[in-house]
C-alpha cells in the first residue's frame, strides 16, 4: 500500500485503515522489490528489470516470495517457521525462515529462458533462508539461501539476490505501533470548571431576565407621566399644533385619506352545510328542514339516512354598503349573522356558498386575491384572543408594526397607536397586561376594545366586526360605535358589523340595516326607514320602544310560530291595547300571558280599572312618571308572512334596482369554490387529495406572481393600492420581540428546564463517574447516551403547548394577514425553542461531560454538544408539528408518545439494526433517536479501545468493532447530522 485510502476496504468496519510502511510486522506485510544484481541484468534485454514480491503473516509465521520478469512470474517459494523482526538503532528489518520450498515455472527466466536455467537447484532447496536489510525498514536488502547462493555465485558472481523494497501493512489505526490509547480520565479541575460554567450560565440568564423586567417597569412608569396624545379623530387645528416639526401627523393623515374607499355589494348570498346520520335526525326533530343537494327549498321525501342532505344556514341575502356607512346585521342567536359576516369577509367556510359579492364592482374571489383583500380589510372576531403577558400598548403596537405601511416611520406608528388607545378609552390601562384565567389582567370590556383597537390602528378600507359591543357596558359600547361612526364618516370607511341589542343612540348611527331570521332576510335597506317599514306591514314600533329590540322580537316570534312552537311575547303600550281590554273583559284572562298576572304593570292596569277611588289615589302615588308603559301580548305572525311582506315592499324592489345597476340584470354568481390564496387559507377548505394538490400549486403560482411584480417594481394589485407592508425579516423581528417578552415574563417553563438539566447532569455525573475502557464501561457509555437522548426527547413534549396555546391567536392573525407563516415559525424556533432546547443541553454537557470522562478532545466535545442540540431541536419541531395537527391536547400527547416510542424502538439499542426487516428499515433511517444515537456513539467510541481481563485472558479490541456489531455505520456521522437537519427543516 502507498496511502491510507486503499486500506479501508480491507478493514472489517470499512474505515479507520492506515498504511504502515515501518519495519515492524503487526499482521501481514507485503513488499515489492526491484532486483539490482548487475549479473542478472546482463542476461536480460535492455530496459527489463527483474522484480520480487514477498509477504509475511505474523499469525501463521509464514512467508511467500515470487520472482518476476516483464510481469511474468518466473519462480515462487513458500517459507515456513519464519521470524520477522528488526535490529539496530534504525529498526532495520530481517526475516529468518527455517523451511523453504520453491517451484520453477518452465520456460521462464532462471528456468530455461534467456539461456539461464537453475530450476534443478530451486526445486531442491529446503532452507533455511533469510532476508536482511542494511538501512531503515526494508531499504537495501538481500535474500540468501545456501544452495541458491552457491549457484548464483558461480553464474553471476553474487551470492545473494539484492533488492530495494517498498513494503506496507494495511492496519486499523489502533494497531499502529505509534498508537496511544484515548484517555477517558478527566482532572478534577476540569470537573469544577464545568460545574462552575453551568452555574454561571444560569446566573447570567437570570440576570438578563431581571434587567429586562426592571427596564420594562421603568419604561412603564415613564409612560404614565406622559399626557394623553391627540385623539384619532381630532380637529385639523389640534393635529397641526401637535405635529409641528415632526411630520408624524402628516403621515397619519395621509394614510387615512389615501386609503381606498370601498363599496361592498352582495346579492342572493346562500350557504348550506352537509348533514348526515344523527345530525339529520336531530334537525328533523327540531323542525329544521333539510334539503337535498339538487333542491334549495323543498323538503325531500327521502329517508333521514340520505347522506347527501344539506341544511340551509343562509338563503337569499342581499345588501349594499357604501363608503362612510355602517351596515348593521341584526337577528337573534342562530339567525346566521356571523355566518354572513364570515362570507363577506372571505373567511374559510366548509359548506357551499352561492351568490355574488362585489367590491367596487370587482368580484370578491375572481378579481381580488386574498392578500389584497386582507390588506384592505380588518376583522374583529367575536372572541377576544391576545398574548396574556403583553400589555395593551404592546398588543396594539404589534398590530401596527406588522400591518401599517413599510414607509411609515416608527414614530408615526407609535403616535397612531396612542391616538387609537385614547379614542377607545384605553390610555389609562396601556401598561396593564392582558391577562388570562388564573392571572387577572384587564377587564372583559377593555379586552374587547383592545381587539377593536388592533384593527382600527391600520385604518382599513372595510372593517368587519362580529358583535363589537358584546361584554361592554352601555357607555363603552357607545364610545366604540361612535368611534367607528366618526371613522366611517370622516375618512370614508366601510363598516359592517353584527350586533346584539343596540341601544337607541347606537341604532341611530347605523346607515344600513339587515334583519335576519332563521338565515333569511326580513329587511335590508336604510336603518332610518325601518320604523316606517314595520308600520307599513301592520306592526308599528310602540312609542318609546327600541326599534332594534322590537324588530328582533318580531322576527323571532315569527320564526318560533312557523316552527310550531308557542308564541313568544312582544311589547306594546297600553294605548294600543286598551280597546281590547275594555271591549272584551271576560276574555282578558285568556288573552293575556300568565306572566302578566305577576307583573307590576298588570297590577297597575287592574287597579286603575277596578279599585276604589281611595285605591286609585294611593296607586297614583306609585305610578311611574313615564307615559310609555309597556304591556306584553301574543302576536299572531309567521316567518313566511314577514318574508312575503318584505319581498312585496317598495324597499325590496329599490335594493334590487340598485343591485341591478351594479351587477347587471344578467349577473353570474361568484365562484366561491375557486381556490386561490397567497399563503392564506383557501376559500373552500380542501378535502380530497386532488383539492389539496390544487391548493399547493395555486399558492405557488400566486406567490411567484406577487414576488415577480415586487421584484420588478410593480404593484402587487392592479385594482387596489399596494401599501407594501413590512418584509418577512421585519415581521420576524416584531414576532421575535413579542415571543421573547412572553418568555421572560412567564419564565416558569424555562427555569424548570434549566433546573432539571442541572439536576440530571449532576445525577449522571455521579452514576457514571469516570467510566473506564472496559466492556462494562463501554456498556455504560452507550446506556448514558440513550438515556440523555430519551430525557430530552420526551422532555420536548412541552413543545406541544407552543402552538396549542396560541392556535386561535395564530389563526386570527393569519386570517387578517398579520404575517407570513415562515416569519412566525422562524421567530418561534429562534426565540422560543432555542432558549428551551439549546441552553439546557449546554448546562448538562458542561457538568456531566467532565465528570463522566467522555472523549476528552475539544472536537469531540463540540460534536457531542452540537448533535445533542440538533436532536433536541429536531424532536421539538416534530412536537411542534404534531401540536399544529391535533387541536386537542390529549390527542397530541397520545400521538407524540407513540411517535417517540417508535422512534426509540428503532433507535439502534433496543433492536439491532441488522436484524430489522427491510420493510421497516425506512422507520430506522427516519428515527431521530437512531440518527442522534449513531452519531453520538461514533463520536464517542470511534477511536476508543476496549480492554478487558477475564479469567487470566487479556482482551483488546477496537471499540469500532463493537459499535459495528450493533449495525452502526462508522462513516455515517455527517450523513446522520445532515438527515437530522433535513428533518428539522
Amino acid at each position: 500500500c502507498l496511502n491510507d485510502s486503499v486500506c479501508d476496504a480491507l478493514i472489517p468496519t470499512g474505515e479507520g485503515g492506515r498504511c504502515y510502511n515501518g519495519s515492524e510486522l503487526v499482521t501481514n506485510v507485503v513488499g515489492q522489490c526491484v532486483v539490482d544484481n548487475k549479473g542478472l541484468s546482463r542476461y536480460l534485454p535492455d530496459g527489463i528489470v527483474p522484480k520480487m514480491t514477498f509477504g509475511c503473516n505474523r499469525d501463521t509465521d509464514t512467508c511467500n516470495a515470487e520472482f518476476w520478469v516483464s510481469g511474468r512470474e518466473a519462480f515462487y517459494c513458500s517459507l515456513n517457521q519464519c521470524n520477522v523482526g528488526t535490529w539496530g538503532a534504525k529498526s532495520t528489518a530481517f526475516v529468518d525462515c527455517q523451511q523453504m520450498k520453491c517451484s520453477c515455472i518452465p520456460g521462464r527466466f532462471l528456468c530455461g529462458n534467456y539461456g539461464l536455467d537453475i530450476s534443478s537447484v530451486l526445486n531442491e532447496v529446503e532452507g533455511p533462508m533469510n532476508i536482511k536489510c542494511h538501512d531503515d525498514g526494508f531499504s537495501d536488502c538481500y535474500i540468501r539461501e545456501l544452495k541458491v547462493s552457491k549457484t548464483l555465485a558461480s553464474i553471476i558472481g553474487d551470492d545473494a539476490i539484492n533488492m530495494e523494497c517498498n513494503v506496507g501493512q494495511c492496519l486499523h489505526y489502533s494497531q499502529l505501533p505509534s498508537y496511544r490509547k484515548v484517555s477517558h480520565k478527566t482532572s478534577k479541575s476540569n470537573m469544577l470548571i464545568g460545574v462552575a460554567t453551568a452555574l454561571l450560565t444560569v446566573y447570567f440568564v437570570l440576570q438578563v431576565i431581571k434587567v429586562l423586567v426592571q427596564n420594562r417597569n421603568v419604561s412603564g412608569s415613564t409612560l404614565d407621566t406622559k399626557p394623553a396624545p391627540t385623539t384619532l379623530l381630532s380637529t385639523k387645528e389640534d393635529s397641526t399644533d401637535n405635529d409641528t416639526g415632526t411630520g408624524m401627523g402628516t403621515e397619519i393623515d395621509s394614510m387615512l385619506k389615501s386609503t381606498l374607499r370601498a363599496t361592498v355589494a352582495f346579492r342572493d348570498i346562500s350557504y348550506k352545510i352537509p348533514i348526515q346520520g344523527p345530525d339529520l335526525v336531530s334537525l328533523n326533530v327540531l323542525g329544521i328542514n333539510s334539503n337535498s343537494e339538487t333542491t334549495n327549498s323543498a323538503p325531500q321525501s327521502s329517508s333521514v339516512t340520505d347522506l347527501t342532505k344539506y341544511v340551509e344556514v343562509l338563503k337569499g341575502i342581499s345588501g349594499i354598503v357604501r363608503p362612510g356607512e355602517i351596515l348593521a346585521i341584526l337577528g337573534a342567536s342562530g339567525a346566521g349573522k356571523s355566518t354572513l359576516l364570515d362570507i363577506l369577509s372571505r373567511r374559510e367556510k366548509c359548506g357551499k356558498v352561492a351568490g355574488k359579492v362585489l367590491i367596487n364592482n370587482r368580484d370578491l374571489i375572481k378579481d381580488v386575491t386574498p392578500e389584497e383583500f386582507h390588506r384592505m380589510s380588518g376583522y374583529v372576531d367575536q372572541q377576544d384572543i391576545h398574548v396574556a403577558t403583553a400589555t395593551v400598548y404592546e398588543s396594539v403596537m404589534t398590530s401596527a408594526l406588522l400591518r401599517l405601511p413599510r414607509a411609515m416611520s416608527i414614530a408615526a406608528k407609535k403616535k397612531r397607536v396612542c391616538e387609537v388607545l385614547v379614542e377607545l378609552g384605553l390610555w389609562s390601562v396601556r401598561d396593564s397586561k392582558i391577562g388570562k384565567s388564573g392571572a387577572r389582567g384587564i377587564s372583559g370590556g377593555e379586552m374587547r376594545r383592545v381587539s377593536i383597537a388592533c384593527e382600527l390602528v391600520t385604518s382599513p378600507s372595510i372593517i368587519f366586526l362580529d358583535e363589537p359591543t358584546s361584554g361592554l357596558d352601555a357607555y363603552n359600547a357607545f364610545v366604540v360605535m361612535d368611534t367607528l361612526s366618526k371613522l366611517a364618516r370622516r375618512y370614508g370607511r366601510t363598516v359592517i358589523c353584527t350586533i346584539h341589542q343596540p341601544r337607541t343612540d347606537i341604532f341611530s348611527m347605523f346607515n344600513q340595516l339587515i334583519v335576519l331570521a332563521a338565515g333569511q332576510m326580513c329587511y335590508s335597506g336604510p336603518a332610518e326607514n325601518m320604523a316606517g317599514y314595520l308600520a307599513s306591514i301592520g306592526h308599528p314600533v310602540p312609542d318609546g320602544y327600541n326599534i332594534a329590540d322590537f324588530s328582533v322580537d318580531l322576527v323571532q316570534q315569527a320564526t318560533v310560530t312557523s316552527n310550531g312552537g308557542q308564541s313568544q311575547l312582544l311589547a306594546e303600550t297600553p294605548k294600543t291595547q286598551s280597546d281590547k281590554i275594555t271591549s272584551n273583559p271576560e276574555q282578558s284572562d285568556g288573552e293575556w300571558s300568565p306572566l302578566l298576572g305577576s307583573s307590576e304593570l298588570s297590577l297597575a292596569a287592574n287597579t286603575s280599572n277596578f279599585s276604589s277611588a281611595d285605591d286609585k289615589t294611593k296607586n297614583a302615588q306609585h305610578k311611574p312618571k313615564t307615559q310609555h308603559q309597556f304591556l306584553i301580548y301574543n302576536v299572531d305572525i309567521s316567518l313566511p308572512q314577514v318574508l312575503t311582506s318584505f319581498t312585496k315592499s317598495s324597499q325590496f324592489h329599490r335594493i334590487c334596482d340598485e343591485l341591478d345597476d351594479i351587477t347587471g340584470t344578467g349577473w353570474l354568481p361568484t365562484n366561491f369554490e375557486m381556490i386561490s390564496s397567497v399563503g392564506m387559507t383557501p376559500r373552500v377548505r380542501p378535502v380530497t387529495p386532488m383539492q389539496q394538490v390544487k391548493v399547493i400549486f395555486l399558492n405557488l403560482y400566486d406567490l411567484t406572481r406577487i414576488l415577480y411584480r415586487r421584484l420588478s417594481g410593480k404593484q402587487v394589485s392592479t385594482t387596489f393600492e399596494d401599501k407594501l407592508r413590512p418584509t418577512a425579516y421585519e415581521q420576524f423581528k416584531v414576532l421575535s420581540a413579542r415571543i421573547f417578552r412572553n418568555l421572560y415574563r412567564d419564565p416558569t417553563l424555562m427555569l424548570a428546564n434549566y433546573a432539571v438539566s442541572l439536576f440530571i447532569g449532576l445525577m449522571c455525573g455521579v452514576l457514571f463517574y469516570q467510566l473506564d475502557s472496559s466492556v462494562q464501561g463501554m456498556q455504560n457509555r452507550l446506556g448514558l447516551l440513550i438515556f440523555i437522548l430519551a430525557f430530552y426527547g420526551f422532555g420536548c413534549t412541552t413543545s406541544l403547548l407552543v402552538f396549542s396555546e396560541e392556535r386561535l391567536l395564530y389563526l386570527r392573525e393569519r386570517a387578517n394577514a398579520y404575517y407570513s407563516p415562515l416569519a412566525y415559525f422562524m421567530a418561534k424556533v429562534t426565540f422560543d425553542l432555542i432558549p428551551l432546547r439549546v441552553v439546557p443541553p449546554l448546562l448538562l454537557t458542561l457538568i456531566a461531560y467532565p465528570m463522566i470522562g467522555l472523549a476528552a478532545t475539544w472536537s469531540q466535545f463540540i460534536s457531542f454538544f452540537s448533535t445533542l442540540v440538533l436532536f433536541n431541536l429536531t424532536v421539538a419541531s416534530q412536537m411542534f408539528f404534531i401540536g399544529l395537527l391535533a387541536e386537542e391536547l390529549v390527542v397530541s400527547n397520545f400521538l407524540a408518545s407513540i411517535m417517540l416510542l417508535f422512534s426509540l424502538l428503532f433507535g439502534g439499542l433496543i433492536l439491532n439494526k441488522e436484524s430489522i426487516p427491510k420493510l421497516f428499515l425506512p422507520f430506522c433511517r427516519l428515527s431521530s433517536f437512531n440518527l442522534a444515537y449513531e452519531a453520538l456513539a461514533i463520536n464517542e467510541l470511534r477511536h476508543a479501545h476496549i480492554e478487558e481481563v477475564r479469567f487470566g485472558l487479556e482482551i483488546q479490541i477496537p471499540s469500532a468493532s463493537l459499535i459495528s456489531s450493533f449495525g452502526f455505520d462508522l462513516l455515517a456521522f455527517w450523513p446522520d447530522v445532515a438527515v437530522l437537519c433535513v428533518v428539522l427543516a
Side-chain angles (χ1 to χ4, degrees), residues 925-939:
R925 295 190 179 99
L926 295 177
S927 168
S928 299
F929 277 94
N930 170 64
L931 296 170
Y933 187 49
E934 185 175 58
L936 291 177
I938 293 172
N939 177 72

Side-chain angles (χ1 to χ4, degrees), residues 692-708:
Q692 294 173 350
V693 172
K694 186 178 180 182
V695 169
I696 293 174
F697 280 102
L698 286 176
N699 284 351
L700 291 175
Y701 168 76
D702 289 343
L703 183 60
T704 303
R705 181 178 61 86
I706 285 185
L707 289 176
Y708 170 75

Side-chain angles (χ1 to χ4, degrees), residues 904-973:
L904 183 59
L905 175 63
F906 293 100
L909 182 67
I910 299 176
L911 187 64
N912 192 290
K913 294 169 64 175
E914 294 181 351
S915 65
I916 298 176
K918 292 183 178 179
L919 179 64
F920 296 97
L921 282 179
F923 294 100
C924 184
R925 295 190 179 99
L926 295 177
S927 168
S928 299
F929 277 94
N930 170 64
L931 296 170
Y933 187 49
E934 185 175 58
L936 291 177
I938 293 172
N939 177 72
E940 176 64 23
L941 302 177
R942 180 178 181 181
H943 301 294
H945 205 77
I946 299 177
E947 293 181 350
E948 184 74 12
V949 178
R950 289 293 176 94
F951 309 109
L953 299 176
E954 183 178 351
I955 304 173
Q956 293 186 3
I957 59 173
S959 300
S961 302
L962 176 64
I963 58 178
S964 295
S965 65
F966 290 170
F968 292 141
D969 183 1
L970 291 174
L971 303 178
F973 178 83

Side-chain angles (χ1 to χ4, degrees), residues 7 103 112 214 227 320 325 343 364 377 404 457 483 502 584 590 598 705 751 789 832 862 892 919 925 934:
C7 294
S103 296
Q214 290 176 347
I320 303 175
E325 294 183 344
I343 293 173
L364 175 63
S377 65
L404 286 176
V457 72
T483 301
N584 195 1
S598 60
R705 181 178 61 86
L751 295 181
L789 292 178
D832 196 348
I862 295 173
S892 62
L919 179 64
R925 295 190 179 99
E934 185 175 58

Side-chain angles (χ1 to χ4, degrees), residues 367-630:
D367 300 329
V368 185
T369 67
E371 185 185 59
E372 296 163 357
F373 178 76
H374 288 294
R375 284 184 174 183
M376 62 179 296
S377 65
Y379 187 97
V380 180
D381 198 87
Q382 188 173 351
Q383 186 177 3
D384 300 313
I385 307 168
H386 301 280
V387 178
T389 57
T391 64
V392 172
Y393 175 83
E394 289 167 350
S395 297
V396 183
M397 189 64 192
T398 298
S399 176
L401 293 175
L402 290 172
R403 304 172 68 192
L404 286 176
R406 189 188 313 170
M408 194 173 183
S409 66
I410 296 297
K413 292 178 181 178
K414 290 181 178 180
K415 180 174 178 60
R416 172 69 178 163
V417 170
C418 294
E419 289 178 346
V420 173
L421 293 178
V422 170
E423 192 64 32
L424 292 176
L426 295 171
W427 180 255
S428 60
V429 295
R430 65 192 180 280
D431 292 323
S432 300
K433 293 182 180 179
I434 299 295
K436 60 180 179 180
S437 59
R440 183 66 178 171
I442 59 178
S443 65
E446 291 168 337
M447 191 178 299
R448 188 66 179 152
R449 283 179 279 162
V450 171
S451 300
I452 298 173
C454 289
E455 299 304 318
L456 288 186
V457 72
T458 63
S459 184
S461 301
I462 309 172
I463 307 175
F464 299 95
L465 304 101
D466 195 1
E467 299 185 14
T469 59
S470 295
L472 301 180
D473 57 78
Y475 173 75
N476 284 312
F478 173 79
V479 170
V480 168
M481 294 308 301
D482 184 57
T483 301
L484 294 172
S485 177
K486 290 179 180 178
L487 183 66
R489 292 196 311 269
R490 177 165 296 183
Y491 296 104
R493 300 297 179 263
T494 304
V495 180
I496 303 176
C497 66
T498 63
I499 195 166
H500 263 313
Q501 297 178 323
R503 59 191 237 184
T504 303
D505 52 357
I506 292 179
F507 185 84
S508 65
M509 301 178 189
F510 301 152
N511 304 101
Q512 299 293 325
L513 182 68
I514 293 179
V515 180
L516 299 180
Q520 302 183 75
M521 184 173 61
C522 299
Y523 178 80
S524 178
E528 60 185 9
N529 296 343
M530 184 63 186
Y533 168 73
L534 291 174
S536 68
I537 62 174
H539 297 282
V541 181
D543 293 341
Y545 201 76
N546 186 295
I547 300 176
D549 290 343
F550 184 81
S551 302
V552 174
D553 291 345
L554 179 67
V555 298
Q556 184 65 9
Q557 167 68 27
T559 303
V560 174
T561 303
S562 300
N563 290 336
Q566 293 183 351
S567 298
Q568 291 183 337
L569 302 171
L570 293 180
E572 195 162 291
T573 58
K575 180 179 179 181
T576 58
Q577 288 297 318
S578 59
D579 294 338
K580 296 182 181 180
I581 299 175
T582 56
S583 63
N584 195 1
E586 295 180 358
Q587 298 179 358
S588 61
D589 292 340
E591 181 177 356
W592 297 103
S593 166
L595 296 176
L596 188 60
S598 60
S599 66
E600 296 181 2
L601 300 178
S602 174
L603 178 62
N606 291 335
T607 53
S608 64
N609 288 324
F610 303 108
S611 60
S612 61
D614 295 337
D615 293 335
K616 291 180 180 181
T617 304
K618 184 177 180 180
N619 290 331
Q621 298 175 359
H622 300 283
K623 184 176 181 180
K625 295 181 181 180
T626 177
Q627 299 298 319
H628 303 291
Q629 197 170 20
F630 303 128

Side-chain angles (χ1 to χ4, degrees), residues 676-961:
S676 178
S677 63
V678 181
M680 309 299 298
T681 53
R683 189 60 187 85
V684 177
R685 180 183 297 173
V687 178
T688 65
M690 289 302 298
Q691 287 179 328
Q692 294 173 350
V693 172
K694 186 178 180 182
V695 169
I696 293 174
F697 280 102
L698 286 176
N699 284 351
L700 291 175
Y701 168 76
D702 289 343
L703 183 60
T704 303
R705 181 178 61 86
I706 285 185
L707 289 176
Y708 170 75
R709 297 188 67 86
R710 281 185 173 172
L711 291 175
S712 59
K714 300 178 181 178
Q715 288 187 350
V716 171
S717 170
T718 57
T719 306
F720 302 105
E721 180 185 0
D722 180 17
K723 295 182 179 180
L724 289 179
R725 289 192 179 179
T727 62
Y729 174 69
E730 292 170 335
Q731 295 173 5
F732 168 79
K733 290 195 300 182
V734 175
L735 292 173
S736 298
R738 184 176 74 175
I739 293 170
F740 190 67
R741 281 198 307 264
N742 183 45
L743 186 65
Y744 75 73
R745 288 179 182 173
D746 187 13
T748 305
L749 179 61
M750 180 177 65
L751 295 181
N753 272 270
Y754 295 171
V756 172
S757 293
L758 290 172
F759 172 75
I760 294 296
L762 289 172
M763 186 183 72
C764 290
V766 173
L767 293 178
F768 299 92
Y769 183 76
Q770 292 300 300
L771 295 177
D772 54 23
S773 299
S774 64
V775 174
Q776 182 183 6
M778 295 301 109
Q779 178 189 5
N780 289 340
R781 275 183 169 78
L782 294 174
L784 169 70
L785 297 180
I786 198 67
F787 170 76
I788 293 176
L789 292 178
F791 167 67
Y792 282 114
F794 285 92
C796 286
T797 53
T798 56
S799 294
L800 294 171
L801 302 175
V802 170
F803 185 75
S804 62
E805 293 180 347
E806 295 187 9
R807 173 184 293 273
L808 296 179
L809 176 65
Y810 171 79
L811 293 177
R812 177 180 71 82
E813 292 178 338
R814 281 291 299 127
N816 289 337
Y818 273 56
Y819 41 73
S820 66
L822 180 61
Y824 177 83
F825 177 76
M826 293 305 299
K828 270 291 183 185
V829 169
T830 304
F831 287 94
D832 196 348
L833 295 183
I834 286 182
L836 299 177
R837 308 304 166 200
V838 175
V839 178
L842 175 62
L843 300 177
L844 184 144
T845 303
L846 289 173
I847 293 177
Y849 204 92
M851 292 183 67
I852 296 169
L854 298 177
T857 64
W858 276 106
S859 61
Q860 289 175 300
F861 173 82
I862 295 173
S863 298
F864 177 90
F865 170 68
S866 302
T867 303
L868 188 58
V869 168
L870 184 59
F871 167 79
N872 213 10
L873 289 174
T874 301
V875 178
S877 65
Q878 292 172 341
M879 298 299 102
F880 186 78
F881 180 71
I882 292 176
L884 288 173
L885 295 180
E887 297 184 7
E888 297 294 334
L889 183 59
V890 176
V891 176
S892 62
N893 268 320
F894 175 75
L895 294 177
S897 301
I898 294 298
M899 192 209 73
L900 290 173
L901 287 174
F902 269 92
S903 182
L904 183 59
L905 175 63
F906 293 100
L909 182 67
I910 299 176
L911 187 64
N912 192 290
K913 294 169 64 175
E914 294 181 351
S915 65
I916 298 176
K918 292 183 178 179
L919 179 64
F920 296 97
L921 282 179
F923 294 100
C924 184
R925 295 190 179 99
L926 295 177
S927 168
S928 299
F929 277 94
N930 170 64
L931 296 170
Y933 187 49
E934 185 175 58
L936 291 177
I938 293 172
N939 177 72
E940 176 64 23
L941 302 177
R942 180 178 181 181
H943 301 294
H945 205 77
I946 299 177
E947 293 181 350
E948 184 74 12
V949 178
R950 289 293 176 94
F951 309 109
L953 299 176
E954 183 178 351
I955 304 173
Q956 293 186 3
I957 59 173
S959 300
S961 302

